[in-house]
Structures are given as structure tokens and as C-alpha cells.
Amino acid sequence: MSTLPWIEKYRPKTVDDISYQDEIVAVLKKIISNDTGEFPNFLFYGPPGTGKTSTILAAARELFGPELMKSRVLELNSSDERGINVIREKVKTFAQFTPSGHRSDGKSCPPFKIVILDEADSMTSSAQAALRRTMEKESKTTRFCLICNYISRIIEPITSRCSKFRFKPLSKDILIQRLSFIAEKENIACDRDTLVTLVNCSEGDLRKAITYLQCASRLKLESGCIKSSDVLEIAGILKDDVIEKILDTCSTGSFEKVEQCVQNLIFDGFSCNQIVTQLHDVLIERHDLNDAKKAIIFEKIACVDNDLIEGADEYLQLLDLLVLIMKQMK
Amino acid sequence: MALPWVEKYRPKSLNELISQDSIIETIQRFIKNDQLPHLLFYGPPGTGKTSTILACAKQLYTPTEFNAMVLELNASDDRGIGIVRDQIMSFASTKTIFKKGFKLIILDEADAMTNDAQNALRRILEKFTDNVRFCIICNYLSKIIPAIQSRCTRFRFGPLSDDKMNFRLDHIIQAEKVDITEDGMKAVIHLASGDMRKALNIMQSTHLAFNKVNEENVYNCVGHPSKNDMLSVINWLLNDDFTTIYNRLIHLKTLKGYALQDIMTEVSRFVQMIEFPKKVLIHILEKLSDIEYRLSNGTNEKLQMSSLISTFIMARNMSEFKPKAITA
Ligand SMILES: Nc1ncnc2c1ncn2[C@@H]1O[C@H](COP(=O)(O)OP(=O)(O)OP(=O)(O)O)[C@@H](O)[C@H]1O
Ligand SMILES: Nc1ncnc2c1ncn2[C@@H]1O[C@H](COP(=O)(O)OP(=O)(O)O)[C@@H](O)[C@H]1O
Ligand SMILES: [Mg+2]
Ligand SMILES: [Mg+2]
């Protein structure tokens, strides 16, 4: 078995292989096919695992061919140093040399280079600021493609310089299609139920889904068949009855019991984030809470979600939330 | 080779610039009377600041003089105090073979300059007034120290007006043979909100993707919620129960691939058009800004969307709340 992660092995090779992102694919195909070089600066944004990086890499490969890729494409992502000095030196130097309009095999190719700034939302705003005029001044020879999850972390003067494209979360059908394609290629038995569970666990993120599939296949190498429960376990998802039990504890109105429950959950190693998300999904459908109470609970959940990202303590956050739910359930 | 439209259609001369007439008139008068002061341009992106000064420079100097007489520094150049001292000083103090009056130093994107560097600039601004003019450009005036502000004549570049944008876009539409409808034009202008660069980028990418630039394609291309969808969203938020709103929003979001961030932008626009009592309006705006902040931290869209619903349910339960039907 090859050791290459499946997300790399099955990364789309051409723009045509990109599923579901029709708008950007249409734009890129036009650029690739008629060589006009009308390649604007791009800004791709959207949730993880929806094809942003794959799209620009595939487009670059089609435009330049595999040989020129190295000299024509500068790819920087958040694992590279990208402070303001790197932008000033690396990007500026790369942007300033003038490429020719031909490949070594004599075929024509666009006379520009592409700078890909992947995960651009992790760049400091002064580093982003350093990009502004460079993007304009070098526009004769250089195009930029910025990629990020959160557009709000990109400063306005930069978004104003790019054609923005949002990558949509992939639909369930597409996810299932890609996953069963990979399962087939890898010779894994995987029934529809399992595929559906995989999809439900990964929230439109194909990378996550493929990774789960590969993990599960490693664990189940002997039996050769993957079941829904394997997927749930790998994804760290709580069973429905565990969530129900948490809510039952809240409805007893006893602080001690709630506290004990939180201790057990943390002890069992469930991630607080996962618990909160699943509580959210169950509570939305509960009819025994009126809207005023729901409003209070869901505002709290949104705040807890933020506090966790800012590094708050899991135990205290969960306790805080469950006590609030307890009060609303009275 | 074809350039991106924003560069291809960068105004080459001052009379091509739209909407900033009074600024340009004033500057032309300065030039004519040979009284050009140090300039400070500020304002939001894509309103013509860089274009204006480059067009001025083209008018002032012949192409052969250009390099010797104009120094352009921007945020991609290192602009610590050292640069200000060395590069600017040496450019400012060398004599040229050209007999023309003054040299021009353009400090674009000056909001990225350190305070130390700005302080070093104060003295230079005064010392070389005989033979050098500065043009300092920034988005945020507050990032420029007051001492520099007071040494320059300030010009604010406001967002471009809709009809002026329309006029300039028409010119480009003809040159590029863009197939655009009236509602398509409206959508481009609405989404650009006064930023010409944004307008050109939206138009170019829609034109590339669909050929026909109509309202639907524009919104599709940028993945921005359409007006009709937003009207439904607002109506749900003001009338339905929690679970129903949630399911409808989720459905709409996955169907159209909208980002919550963009929905939020439109919601806050709508909210200000509805005549809510002050107290209710304040509650809503405050909560919206909280959600916006949390989203920018990278929180889960689904969970944050529920708190958007919470915001409206709470508003509806306030004693001051009187629901009103809304149209357009
Ligand atoms: N007033 C205007 N008239 C005509 N075109 C304009 C105008 N303002 C902006 N544009 C268009 O937008 C592009 C960008 O303009 P410019 O570089 O002057 O913006 P800026 O004000 O310097 O923005 P930033 O603050 O982001 O640097 C130009 O190439 C031009 O096509
Ligand atoms: N739209 C898509 N079409 C086909 N495969 C995709 C798509 N989106 C994601 N994938 C798969 O998921 C993996 C990660 O995609 P990637 O482009 O790196 O996502 P991101 O949007 O986070 O940059 C790829 O290797 C590919 O197999
Ligand atoms: Mg990526
Ligand atoms: Mg500018």
C-alpha cells in the first residue's frame, strides 16, 4: 500500500476534476483555453476542504505545464515565514523578473507568473498592506491568488484588488460520489450507510471525509469492510443517547449532578467543541423549550464557541453552558 | 498582453478621473500657479488616489524626466526610519540636469509607515520645500501623525457616486464589448459600494464566467446573497419561530452557498432601513457586531447563525417592538 495520503493522491489534476465550484471552474477554463492572459488577481475564500488550493494548483499546471510550474509559481502557505520582510523580499523579487511567452517544448504559455498566498488569513495586516502596490505595479508580469477561509481577515484594500470567488461547502451528493470513487479505487467495501455517516461527520469538508475514510480503512484492514460505527469512533462523535443523557441531567436542576456530568465527559476525552455542536443540533429541534429560552441558550452557545477558540478552559466553559441550559429548562 | 481591467483602464490623465472633480480642479489650479503644496490624499480603496497622483506626475514631467524627478515608495518598500533618512534625503538633495522646478516624492500607502519614520519625515518636509513636493497617500487618516497632517494640504477621496461609476463603466463596457443588462449594472454598482476597483473586478469576473452580465450572474459570481433572498431572510427573522427560521436558513445557505458573513452584511443594511424603535435597533446592531466579531475569529458558522436568530427573537420580545411589514 502506498504511503501517500489519499488527499494528495486524489487531489484533482485538472480544473475539470474540480467538482461543484462551477463559477470559478468556468472562469479558469476560459482563461486556459484561449490564452488571452486575462487572468485577474484572484481571492478564493470558503470553508476548508472545498477545493481552493487544488483549483489554483490545477489551473497553474494546465497553464504552464509540469516543467515550468517550479519557475512560474511561487506558493507560500502559513507554514512558510510570511512576515512583512518576506513579502518585501521574496515576493517582490519573484514578481520583478520577466517571464517569456514560451515553454521549452515550444508551446506558448501565458507570459506571467503566479504568486499563490495560501491561508492568507494568517498573514499579519502589515504584511498584507505590503502587498497592495506590488499587486498593481507588477501586474504586467505577475498575478496573485490569495486563498483564505475567512474573508473578513483580509484587509479591504486587498479584497478590493482581487476578483473574489467563494467556494461553497460541497453538497452531500458530491461528497458521496467522490468518496465512493476513492473507496472503489482503493478496493474498500463501504456501504451507503457508512458513506452517509462519513458525509454527516465532515460538514462539507472533503479533506476531512477522505482522511476519515483512510483512517478507517487502516484500522479495518483485516475485515476489509467499514461500518458506520467505525466512522463515528474515528471522528470522535458522541452517540445520540450520550447527548440525551446530558440534557436529562440538566433537567434535574441539580448543580451537583451537572458538575459530575461535565467531569465525566471531560474525563472520557470528548472534545468540548464537539459536545457543544451536538447539543446545538439536538436543542434546535426540541419543542419543550419556547423561543425566548432558545434565544438565550443559542446566544450562549455562540459565545462559548468563541471563547473556546480564544483558548478558554474547556471544563469551565462546558459547565457554564450546562448550568445556563439547566436554568432555562426549569 | 491583456492586463486585468483595473490596470488596463487606470486613468492616464486627470480628466479621465471621475467623481473627484473639485479635488482635481484645485490641484490643477495649484499647478498652473506654480504653487503646489505638499499633498495628503486619504480615503477608502479604489477611489482614485494613486491614479490621481500618477496622472499629475505624467502631466508635470515628460517620460524622460520621469525617473529622475519622481520617486514612488509604497508599503512593499522597507520604510523604517533608515530609508526615510537615506533614500528620501539623497533623492531630495541631488541636483538634476532638468531645469524644471521641483521633484515629486510619492509615499503611497503611508499608513504602513512607522511613527519613527513619520517623525523623521517632518523635518524633511520643511527642509526641502524649495525643490521637492511630497504626496502622501493613505486609507486611514488616523494612522498619519498630526505633525505631518498639518504640513500638508489634505484631500479626502470619498466613495464614488453611483451615477459617476455608471458613466465610467459604460466606457469600459463599450471598449470590451461587455454584454450587460440594466439590472446587472445596478448589481455591480451596489456590490462595489463606491469602490471603482471592486466594480471593475466584479464586472470582469462575471463577464469571464458567464458572458452575460445580468443581476443573477453577478450575484452568482461573487456568491453574494441576492436581494430577493435577503427579503425572505428578513421576513423569516421577523415572523417565524426559531426552528423554522433555522431550517430555512440552513437550506438557503447550502442551496446557494452563501457565507454567513455576507448574509450579515445585508441584514445590517436592511435593519437600518426598517424603522425600528431606537432601543430595538441598538440591541440588534450591538448583537450583530458581536456576531461579526466572533465570525472573524473563525467560529463555527452554524452556531453563529443560531445566535443571529436569537438576536431577532430577543428583539421581537422587547416591549418596544412593533412589527411592521416590509417591502423592497
Ligand atoms: N476616480 C476614478 N476614476 C476613474 N477610475 C477610477 C477612479 N478611482 C478608481 N478607479 C479605477 O480603480 C483602479 C484603482 O484606482 P487607484 O489605484 O487610484 O485607487 P486608490 O485610491 O489608490 O486605492 P487604494 O487606497 O486601495 O490604494 C484604477 O486603476 C481605475 O481603473
Ligand atoms: N471541489 C472539489 N473537487 C474535487 N476534490 C476536492 C474538492 N474539494 C476538495 N477536494 C479534495 O479534498 C482535498 C483537499 O482539497 P483542498 O483543495 O486542499 O482544499 P482547501 O479548500 O482547504 O484548499 C483534495 O485533495 C481533494 O481530493
Ligand atoms: Mg488549502
Ligand atoms: Mg493606491
Side-chain angles (χ1 to χ4, degrees):
Chain A
M1 195 173 121
S2 118
T3 47
L4 198 63
W6 291 356
I7 41 167
E8 290 308 326
K9 192 168 170 188
Y10 295 98
R11 195 184 275 285
K13 301 284 180 300
T14 64
V15 178
D16 255 328
D17 292 341
I18 303 286
S19 339
Y20 204 60
Q21 314 294 359
D22 303 334
E23 290 83 22
I24 182 64
V25 168
V27 170
L28 288 171
K29 271 166 82 172
K30 250 194 204 163
I31 293 174
I32 292 165
S33 66
N34 67 13
D35 262 11
T36 58
E38 279 205 39
F39 193 106
N41 292 317
F42 282 118
L43 175 64
F44 294 169
Y45 68 110
T50 48
K52 302 180 293 297
T53 309
S54 308
T55 301
I56 192 64
L57 289 177
R61 200 175 298 110
E62 286 189 71
L63 281 170
F64 300 123
E67 264 184 32
L68 277 181
M69 272 291 276
K70 278 224 178 64
S71 61
R72 288 297 182 84
V73 178
L74 176 66
E75 189 192 353
L76 294 173
N77 55 46
S78 58
S79 59
D80 302 299
E81 233 272 84
R82 278 194 311 196
I84 185 155
N85 290 326
V86 177
I87 295 297
R88 281 187 181 137
E89 273 146 43
K90 246 194 181 159
V91 174
K92 230 173 132 185
T93 334
F94 178 80
Q96 278 165 355
F97 91 87
T98 312
S100 86
H102 298 281
R103 301 190 197 176
S104 54
D105 59 7
K107 273 198 204 142
S108 76
C109 73
F112 57 77
K113 302 149 284 161
I114 302 179
V115 178
I116 303 173
L117 292 168
D118 207 345
E119 289 135 25
D121 33 8
S122 65
M123 286 167 67
T124 62
S125 50
S126 59
Q128 292 183 30
L131 270 177
R132 295 187 280 184
R133 192 75 180 111
T134 308
M135 288 176 78
E136 297 174 347
K137 265 187 131 168
E138 310 305 335
S139 59
K140 284 213 172 69
T141 57
T142 310
R143 299 291 185 274
F144 286 80
C145 178
L146 279 76
I147 304 180
C148 66
N149 295 126
Y150 304 106
I151 186 129
S152 56
R153 299 239 188 115
I154 305 291
I155 61 173
E156 174 82 348
I158 292 286
T159 55
S160 156
R161 281 165 170 76
C162 301
S163 284
K164 290 193 289 174
F165 283 92
R166 170 167 157 87
F167 281 60
K168 299 169 279 189
L170 304 178
S171 75
K172 295 202 164 162
D173 296 341
I174 298 283
L175 288 167
I176 290 190
Q177 204 179 311
R178 282 301 285 188
L179 288 170
S180 56
F181 168 78
I182 294 174
E184 199 172 307
K185 287 259 175 191
E186 295 289 336
N187 257 325
I188 314 168
C190 196
D191 59 19
R192 187 157 173 102
D193 243 20
T194 314
L195 289 177
V196 170
T197 313
L198 266 174
V199 167
N200 288 339
C201 296
S202 44
E203 297 174 333
D205 179 347
L206 185 48
R207 180 189 307 136
K208 212 178 195 177
I210 295 176
T211 310
Y212 288 155
L213 183 65
Q214 187 171 20
C215 280
S217 79
R218 280 210 195 102
L219 293 177
K220 295 282 145 187
L221 220 48
E222 309 85 46
S223 61
C225 158
I226 303 173
K227 292 195 300 292
S228 284
S229 54
D230 304 332
V231 175
L232 285 181
E233 201 178 310
I234 284 167
I237 291 187
L238 290 81
K239 296 235 164 59
D240 289 344
D241 54 332
V242 180
I243 298 293
E244 283 305 329
K245 222 184 259 154
I246 298 176
L247 291 176
D248 287 346
T249 314
C250 289
S251 65
T252 61
S254 145
F255 178 79
E256 285 73 24
K257 281 187 184 154
V258 170
E259 194 183 22
Q260 186 61 46
C261 166
V262 173
Q263 278 173 9
N264 291 344
L265 286 167
I266 299 285
F267 184 78
D268 285 339
F270 289 117
S271 101
C272 185
N273 225 311
Q274 183 62 40
I275 302 173
V276 172
T277 313
Q278 283 186 259
L279 279 173
H280 168 274
D281 295 351
V282 171
L283 283 170
I284 282 279
E285 298 294 339
R286 286 279 278 243
H287 296 298
D288 53 347
L289 288 166
N290 67 26
D291 277 4
K293 292 182 167 180
K294 277 189 180 165
I296 295 172
I297 294 177
F298 288 112
E299 163 145 291
K300 181 68 183 175
I301 288 184
C303 293
V304 168
D305 182 30
N306 185 59
D307 293 347
L308 287 172
I309 282 193
E310 291 186 340
D313 183 75
E314 297 217 332
Y315 173 82
L316 290 176
Q317 289 297 320
L318 190 56
L319 185 61
D320 192 17
L321 173 62
L322 291 188
V323 168
L324 180 127
I325 295 178
M326 179 180 95
K327 282 193 190 135
Q328 296 305 318
M329 280 181 149
K330 250 187 221 153
Chain B
M1 186 192 99
L3 289 169
W5 290 357
V6 264
E7 288 311 318
K8 194 166 168 187
Y9 297 100
R10 183 181 287 283
K12 309 262 174 327
S13 66
L14 285 175
N15 54 24
E16 264 186 72
L17 276 142
I18 52 160
S19 210
Q20 315 293 9
D21 300 341
S22 65
I23 297 179
I24 287 162
E25 208 173 290
T26 315
I27 295 176
Q28 289 283 33
R29 192 148 5 103
F30 284 149
I31 295 178
K32 211 169 89 201
N33 302 341
D34 205 12
Q35 279 181 343
L36 196 72
H38 296 311
L39 302 168
L40 174 57
F41 293 172
Y42 66 102
T47 49
K49 301 179 293 299
T50 307
S51 306
T52 301
I53 196 62
L54 289 179
C56 273
K58 275 203 194 113
Q59 183 181 326
L60 284 166
Y61 310 107
T62 64
T64 42
E65 293 169 342
F66 204 92
N67 282 336
M69 300 300 278
V70 181
L71 175 68
E72 189 191 345
L73 292 175
N74 57 64
S76 73
D77 305 298
D78 184 0
R79 282 189 309 191
I81 188 161
I83 290 287
V84 170
R85 287 227 182 90
D86 304 342
Q87 207 174 340
I88 297 184
M89 282 280 268
S90 75
F91 179 82
S93 53
T94 41
K95 297 242 154 41
T96 61
I97 50 165
F98 302 110
K99 51 192 176 308
K100 277 259 175 59
F102 51 81
K103 298 181 183 181
L104 181 64
I105 298 183
I106 304 171
L107 291 173
D108 207 346
E109 291 144 15
D111 14 25
M113 281 176 86
T114 62
N115 271 2
D116 283 349
Q118 292 192 31
N119 275 315
L121 199 59
R122 287 161 63 159
R123 199 59 207 103
I124 301 175
L125 281 176
E126 284 168 346
K127 200 165 158 199
F128 295 100
T129 13
D130 280 351
N131 64 332
V132 180
R133 292 295 179 278
F134 280 85
C135 178
I136 299 169
I137 306 181
C138 63
N139 292 122
Y140 313 103
L141 186 62
S142 58
K143 299 260 176 75
I144 304 295
I145 59 171
I148 290 197
Q149 292 187 26
S150 80
R151 285 167 172 76
C152 301
T153 306
R154 282 187 273 169
F155 291 97
R156 182 183 134 78
F157 283 65
L160 308 184
S161 71
D162 289 1
D163 47 334
K164 292 280 170 51
M165 283 227 271
N166 202 323
F167 174 77
R168 174 85 181 152
L169 288 173
D170 267 337
H171 164 74
I172 293 158
I173 287 164
Q174 271 163 25
E176 295 288 337
K177 303 200 172 51
V178 182
D179 180 8
I180 188 167
T181 63
E182 203 172 311
D183 59 356
M185 184 71 142
K186 273 209 186 111
V188 170
I189 291 176
H190 171 76
L191 289 173
S193 40
D195 177 343
M196 190 66 186
R197 191 192 287 114
K198 211 178 202 171
L200 287 177
N201 274 322
I202 293 173
M203 200 163 79
Q204 184 175 21
S205 42
T206 314
H207 171 69
L208 265 172
F210 301 96
N211 281 322
K212 197 173 187 68
V213 183
N214 57 26
E215 181 175 358
E216 194 190 338
N217 289 345
V218 169
Y219 280 108
N220 259 335
C221 194
V222 295
H224 200 90
S226 71
K227 213 182 271 149
N228 279 337
D229 283 341
M230 281 316 300
L231 249 122
S232 324
V233 169
I234 295 289
N235 268 317
W236 300 337
L237 285 171
L238 292 179
N239 298 302
D240 289 332
D241 68 274
F242 207 112
T243 314
T244 312
I245 306 174
Y246 179 82
N247 288 327
R248 290 189 160 155
L249 277 176
I250 284 283
H251 179 75
L252 178 73
K253 269 180 95 266
T254 31
L255 188 72
K256 301 280 184 82
Y258 293 155
L260 184 57
Q261 203 105 43
D262 294 333
I263 296 183
M264 296 273 306
T265 310
E266 291 301 321
V267 167
S268 57
R269 265 191 221 193
F270 267 92
V271 162
Q272 296 181 49
M273 281 171 359
I274 306 172
E275 285 171 23
F276 284 119
K278 276 242 163 50
K279 204 172 154 203
V280 178
L281 184 64
I282 290 171
H283 158 84
I284 294 180
L285 291 178
E286 207 174 291
K287 295 291 178 192
L288 288 182
S289 83
D290 288 346
I291 300 173
E292 147 78 9
Y293 165 75
R294 294 196 293 258
L295 273 175
S296 72
N297 265 342
T299 43
N300 182 318
E301 282 209 3
K302 188 173 69 178
L303 303 191
Q304 297 306 323
M305 196 185 81
S306 293
S307 69
L308 172 65
I309 306 175
S310 291
T311 301
F312 279 84
I313 299 275
M314 285 175 185
R316 281 154 57 179
N317 288 342
M318 290 168 84
S319 54
E320 293 83 357
F321 185 83
K322 292 183 242 69
K324 261 187 200 157
I326 53 154
T327 45

